[in-house]
Amino acid sequence: MRNPLIAGKMKALLVMVCVFHVGTSLNNGMGKTPQMGWNSWNHFHCSIDAQIVMETADAMASNGLKAAGYQYVNIDDCWQVSRYPNKTIQPDPTKFPDMMQLIDHVHSKGLKFGLYSDAGYKTCGGRPGSLGYEDVDAATYASWGVDYLKYDNCNNDKTKPEVRYPVMRDALNKTGRHIFYSLCEWGVDDPATWAPKVGNSWRTTGDIGDNWNSMYSRATSNDKWWKYAAPGGWNDPDMLEIGNGGMTHNEYVVHFSLWCLMKAPLLIGCDIRNISKDTLDILTNGDVIAVNQDPLGAQGHRVNMTSDGAEVWAGPLSDDSVAVVLLNSGGHTQNVTAYFADIGLSGNKVASIRDLWAKQDQGTATGSITKSVDSHSAVMLRLKPIQS
């Protein structure tokens, strides 16, 4: 049975929510569209060094990822080891002997550089955190030329994230440098309800794993907060696992389709120095990325699901079209139908159809559209009303 709650209402509601949250989001000029880039954690964990990061920047600049819109090269945990006597943070002298030289190299490729810290005494990997050192760390990052900070939540003093995370926001703002602020408190205190005034994105889930169940559960957990995303601040269901080998090609297509529809950050988590053509084709699909980067900034969400796992996810775009993901989370091939009334289109409207993965225009539809979808697969469409 179709979900009747949103029939005919979704588009207007999403636009209303978007307009409201633009006015209440952190106004640091960052994150007008979801961030795109690479993060070291999913593939390398703590086995990361300056050489890998430089080679990653070189690859991103030359293999089509930069041209597709990816811009941040972000080091996650384990780059720092201690503090100098003056309390400034000390990078690992063996793995990161010259942080400014590394950052200059990334910048020379026309890319931006990101670092990781923690709103606790120690990071999740046991390295020095920034709790109590927010001003000195923010000033250090700015002096190095850092463009992005991921801020984790381990080993803290048990105060609420709402107390600790604004301290780093203010410290970053004091530097005068535009630094994207990515909150990573794992959704434990419903950050979507308070983080738009604090950061540019906020994790809504625990860490993702490279398997279907983990990826799908992150998507559905993130979905409940769809009303809170808007330009300047985004719900973050964690980084991409595409290319790490734990899912099928079709499952990775689902992963990218849902993240793009949900306006989630697109942070690649594989080794892009050795990326396959198959993975690169997924990550650089311009039609799908355009949904993620659409300036309206309205997060798409699930509007219907049957007991067999036939799901419809949809969201409005700035040109009055609607992006639709026909998802089969069930165990067998089945038809998935999107009814226009459920996705914000008038039932008697004629809409043109663009299949974003096939990269084909596929005629028109009126009232509904049905596709046969394999198990753990998705079809992604862009439906645009035709003016009569």
Side-chain angles (χ1 to χ4, degrees), residues 3 10 14 192 204-205 215-229 235-237 258-259 261-262 264 299-305 311-315:
N3 184 339
M10 187 191 68
L14 273 172
T204 57
T205 70
M215 179 275 293
Y216 178 71
S217 67
R218 296 319 180 262
T220 56
S221 294
N222 187 71
D223 183 50
K224 68 182 289 187
W225 303 111
W226 65 272
K227 295 180 183 180
Y228 293 87
N235 293 312
D236 179 3
L258 290 179
W259 262 237
L261 185 84
M262 292 189 297
Q299 179 175 325
H301 69 288
R302 185 165 60 188
V303 302
N304 186 36
M305 179 179 179
E311 305 186 28
V312 179
W313 297 60

Side-chain angles (χ1 to χ4, degrees), residues 49-160:
D49 59 37
Q51 186 63 35
I52 292 173
V53 178
M54 286 192 288
E55 291 172 359
T56 296
D58 294 346
M60 185 181 291
S62 63
N63 66 8
L65 289 170
K66 176 185 172 184
Y70 296 91
Q71 60 176 330
Y72 289 104
V73 177
N74 295 345
I75 304 173
D76 210 279
D77 204 353
C78 303
W79 63 268
Q80 64 282 71
V81 293
S82 186
R83 289 190 180 275
Y84 293 109
N86 66 357
K87 306 303 183 183
T88 58
I89 196 73
Q90 179 185 8
D92 186 317
T94 301
K95 294 185 174 182
F96 296 95
D98 192 333
M99 189 63 80
M100 292 186 69
Q101 182 184 60
L102 170 59
I103 295 172
D104 287 345
H105 181 84
V106 172
H107 287 163
S108 75
K109 300 297 178 179
L111 300 168
K112 297 181 179 180
F113 182 85
L115 278 179
Y116 163 101
S117 190
D118 191 289
Y121 299 114
K122 292 185 177 181
T123 69
C124 299
R127 309 301 177 97
S130 290
L131 185 62
Y133 297 94
E134 292 87 354
D135 283 341
V136 66
D137 285 354
T140 300
Y141 304 152
S143 71
W144 288 347
V146 170
D147 305 296
Y148 186 111
L149 177 66
K150 175 183 174 181
Y151 207 45
D152 219 334
N153 194 33
C154 287
N155 301 305
N156 59 68
D157 62 0
K158 308 303 180 183
T159 59
K160 289 186 175 183

Side-chain angles (χ1 to χ4, degrees), residues 266-315:
L266 300 181
L267 295 174
I268 300 167
C270 68
D271 183 358
I272 64 174
R273 303 171 305 166
N274 301 296
I275 196 167
S276 69
K277 182 180 183 302
D278 187 57
T279 297
L280 197 61
D281 286 346
I282 294 173
L283 293 172
T284 58
N285 184 312
D287 284 353
V288 179
I289 291 172
V291 172
N292 180 263
Q293 297 290 296
D294 184 79
L296 181 62
Q299 179 175 325
H301 69 288
R302 185 165 60 188
V303 302
N304 186 36
M305 179 179 179
T306 71
S307 59
D308 289 333
E311 305 186 28
V312 179
W313 297 60

Side-chain angles (χ1 to χ4, degrees), residues 167-367:
V167 180
M168 181 56 85
R169 172 202 61 194
D170 295 342
L172 293 172
N173 286 342
K174 287 177 190 176
T175 70
R177 183 172 180 82
H178 294 296
I179 298 176
F180 191 104
Y181 188 29
S182 170
L183 281 57
C184 183
E185 61 93 84
W186 325 310
V188 296
D189 214 25
D190 297 343
T193 63
W194 54 267
K197 293 183 179 180
V198 179
N200 301 113
S201 66
W202 46 87
R203 278 277 294 280
T204 57
T205 70
D207 287 358
I208 195 172
D210 188 19
N211 62 79
W212 169 266
N213 288 337
S214 178
M215 179 275 293
Y216 178 71
S217 67
R218 296 319 180 262
T220 56
S221 294
N222 187 71
D223 183 50
K224 68 182 289 187
W225 303 111
W226 65 272
K227 295 180 183 180
Y228 293 87
W234 309 103
N235 293 312
D236 179 3
D238 206 7
M239 299 169 289
L240 298 169
E241 289 282 7
I242 299 160
N244 281 327
M247 287 183 263
T248 67
H249 170 84
N250 284 359
E251 289 172 341
Y252 282 142
V253 167
V254 171
H255 187 6
F256 200 64
S257 298
L258 290 179
W259 262 237
C260 284
L261 185 84
M262 292 189 297
K263 304 299 187 290
L266 300 181
L267 295 174
I268 300 167
C270 68
D271 183 358
I272 64 174
R273 303 171 305 166
N274 301 296
I275 196 167
S276 69
K277 182 180 183 302
D278 187 57
T279 297
L280 197 61
D281 286 346
I282 294 173
L283 293 172
T284 58
N285 184 312
D287 284 353
V288 179
I289 291 172
V291 172
N292 180 263
Q293 297 290 296
D294 184 79
L296 181 62
Q299 179 175 325
H301 69 288
R302 185 165 60 188
V303 302
N304 186 36
M305 179 179 179
T306 71
S307 59
D308 289 333
E311 305 186 28
V312 179
W313 297 60
L317 301 173
S318 59
D319 66 349
D320 294 326
S321 63
V322 177
V324 181
V325 173
L326 304 178
L327 168 63
N328 181 2
S329 61
H332 57 86
T333 299
Q334 60 181 318
N335 287 339
V336 183
T337 298
Y339 293 92
F340 282 17
D342 287 351
I343 62 174
L345 292 175
S346 174
N348 61 3
K349 281 281 188 182
V350 178
S352 63
I353 306 164
R354 172 78 176 173
D355 186 315
L356 304 188
W357 285 109
K359 299 182 180 180
Q360 294 178 345
D361 295 324
Q362 297 183 342
T364 61
T366 305

